[in-house]
Amino acid sequence: MTETEMSSCSLSDPRPVARSFQAIPQHGGVGAVIRRSIGRFELKYFDPFLFLDEFSVSAPAGFPDHPHRGFETVTYMLEGAITHEDFAGHEGTIATGDLQWMTAGRGIVHSEMPAAQGVQKGIQLWINLSSKHKMIEPRYQEISSKDIAEAEKNGIKVRVIAGEALGIKSPIYTTTPTMYLDFTLKPESHLLQPIPESWNAFIYVLEGNGVEAWNKSSKPLRFILGGGEPLGEPVVQFGPFVMNTQEEIDQTINDFETCVNGFENAKQWRSQVAIALGL
């Protein structure tokens, strides 16, 4: 967030909570369990956010080879580890507290599978890209847990994944202006966090009870605070493809099926996990 955007924030004009609901478990990927909040019928699209999933997965379940186009995925691990592999040769593992910010842009085919025994847990946020950025080249920004910016003050601890909080800035570049903050509040602590007036924002509670960012309980309160600048553009989505028009979706499906226009590597590629599992 820039200084100009910060200057447009007001702590004297707090925002009321417009809606509150519980994310219900459902199946996702192959055998995985997800709790989807943004992207379900109560909140189909929250510009610029497409999906917010808290996932829980144990091998051999996971998210084997699948494509994306037109948006970004942000994967933040809460417990365990996930191995990522894509058709351009990028591969790696993110473990507890690690972050992967993937810009799918014009096209990615990848897999995301458990890298350890037991249950792997994390959060994945899908952020829409504007029409001028939907066909940019794919890129990754990855930060290990020890390198994520942190600050602590007056009983409030924050991990600054994107944006700024408590005077600390994240190095993550957000194509769509976004904040993504992991807060933990000790009992009786109170948070005031500026958010640009024009942005949409959400809180996703991980531990404890509360949505006012005022922990009046006797236990710690941990939550994700996310915010983003609305794009104000048409959204047409077909599974893992997000574009602005039906014609663009039809073209994307054709590009993927014929392995052209960003999907050239998909013709011969299968992840090592898919090969091992016979998928």
Side-chain angles (χ1 to χ4, degrees), residues 117-145:
Q117 296 297 315
V119 179
Q120 325 301 312
K121 297 181 179 180
I123 296 177
Q124 188 169 93
L125 177 66
W126 290 20
I127 306 172
N128 200 10
L129 290 171
S130 66
S131 56
K132 67 181 179 181
H133 291 131
K134 284 191 177 296
M135 296 297 285
I136 61 177
E137 291 298 319
R139 59 174 284 180
Y140 293 89
Q141 300 174 85
E142 295 175 330
I143 303 181
S144 64
S145 180

Side-chain angles (χ1 to χ4, degrees), residues 44-45 50 69-71 128-129 134 233-250 252-253:
K44 187 64 177 174
Y45 177 53
L50 297 155
R69 174 182 278 181
F71 61 99
N128 200 10
L129 290 171
K134 284 191 177 296
E233 296 181 354
V235 175
V236 181
Q237 181 172 356
F238 181 78
F241 304 136
V242 183
M243 304 300 287
N244 297 105
T245 67
Q246 185 59 50
E247 290 75 18
E248 290 172 341
I249 287 292
D250 293 342
T252 295
I253 294 171

Side-chain angles (χ1 to χ4, degrees), residues 2-267:
T2 67
E3 292 182 3
T4 300
E5 290 168 331
M6 288 294 292
S7 67
S8 69
C9 307
S10 174
L11 292 178
S12 62
D13 186 20
R15 298 190 186 192
V17 175
R19 298 189 67 181
S20 173
F21 54 87
Q22 185 173 4
I24 306 299
Q26 64 186 70
H27 293 292
V30 177
V33 175
I34 62 174
R35 288 180 176 269
R36 177 164 295 166
S37 46
I38 299 173
R40 47 185 284 169
F41 67 90
E42 294 97 334
L43 193 60
K44 187 64 177 174
Y45 177 53
F46 191 49
D47 193 6
F49 305 115
L50 297 155
F51 283 165
L52 177 63
D53 290 346
E54 181 179 359
F55 62 85
S56 177
V57 59
S58 301
F63 306 91
D65 306 4
H66 59 280
H68 293 299
R69 174 182 278 181
F71 61 99
E72 298 182 297
T73 66
V74 182
T75 306
Y76 181 47
M77 291 303 298
L78 301 175
E79 179 182 323
I82 291 289
T83 291
H84 170 271
E85 183 183 354
D86 78 12
F87 71 173
H90 182 277
E91 58 182 283
T93 298
I94 53 173
T96 303
D98 293 348
L99 169 75
Q100 182 194 77
W101 198 292
M102 184 186 81
T103 303
R106 66 197 303 258
I108 280 284
V109 179
H110 72 159
S111 68
E112 301 156 292
M113 301 296 288
Q117 296 297 315
V119 179
Q120 325 301 312
K121 297 181 179 180
I123 296 177
Q124 188 169 93
L125 177 66
W126 290 20
I127 306 172
N128 200 10
L129 290 171
S130 66
S131 56
K132 67 181 179 181
H133 291 131
K134 284 191 177 296
M135 296 297 285
I136 61 177
E137 291 298 319
R139 59 174 284 180
Y140 293 89
Q141 300 174 85
E142 295 175 330
I143 303 181
S144 64
S145 180
K146 65 181 179 61
D147 294 326
I148 290 179
E150 294 188 0
E152 193 163 358
K153 183 180 180 180
N154 298 330
I156 299 170
K157 179 181 178 181
V158 63
R159 308 190 83 217
V160 185
I161 297 164
E164 180 179 355
L166 300 186
I168 301 296
K169 293 183 179 180
S170 167
I172 289 289
Y173 173 77
T174 61
T175 308
T176 299
T178 306
M179 66 164 54
Y180 192 126
L181 309 170
D182 178 1
F183 280 105
T184 301
L185 275 60
K186 292 182 179 179
E188 302 304 320
S189 58
H190 185 203
L191 169 67
L192 294 174
Q193 171 63 35
I195 302 170
E197 185 177 355
S198 63
W199 286 23
N200 287 326
F202 65 85
I203 285 176
Y204 186 79
V205 178
L206 294 172
E207 300 175 24
N209 296 285
V211 293
E212 296 182 0
W214 192 324
N215 188 2
K216 299 180 180 180
S217 73
S218 61
K219 298 180 180 179
L221 170 65
R222 184 184 179 190
F223 58 89
I224 298 295
L225 171 61
E229 182 176 46
L231 299 176
E233 296 181 354
V235 175
V236 181
Q237 181 172 356
F238 181 78
F241 304 136
V242 183
M243 304 300 287
N244 297 105
T245 67
Q246 185 59 50
E247 290 75 18
E248 290 172 341
I249 287 292
D250 293 342
Q251 183 62 57
T252 295
I253 294 171
N254 182 72
D255 289 346
F256 176 62
E257 291 180 345
T258 58
C259 301
V260 299
N261 199 21
F263 290 109
E264 289 82 358
N265 291 335
K267 189 172 185 178

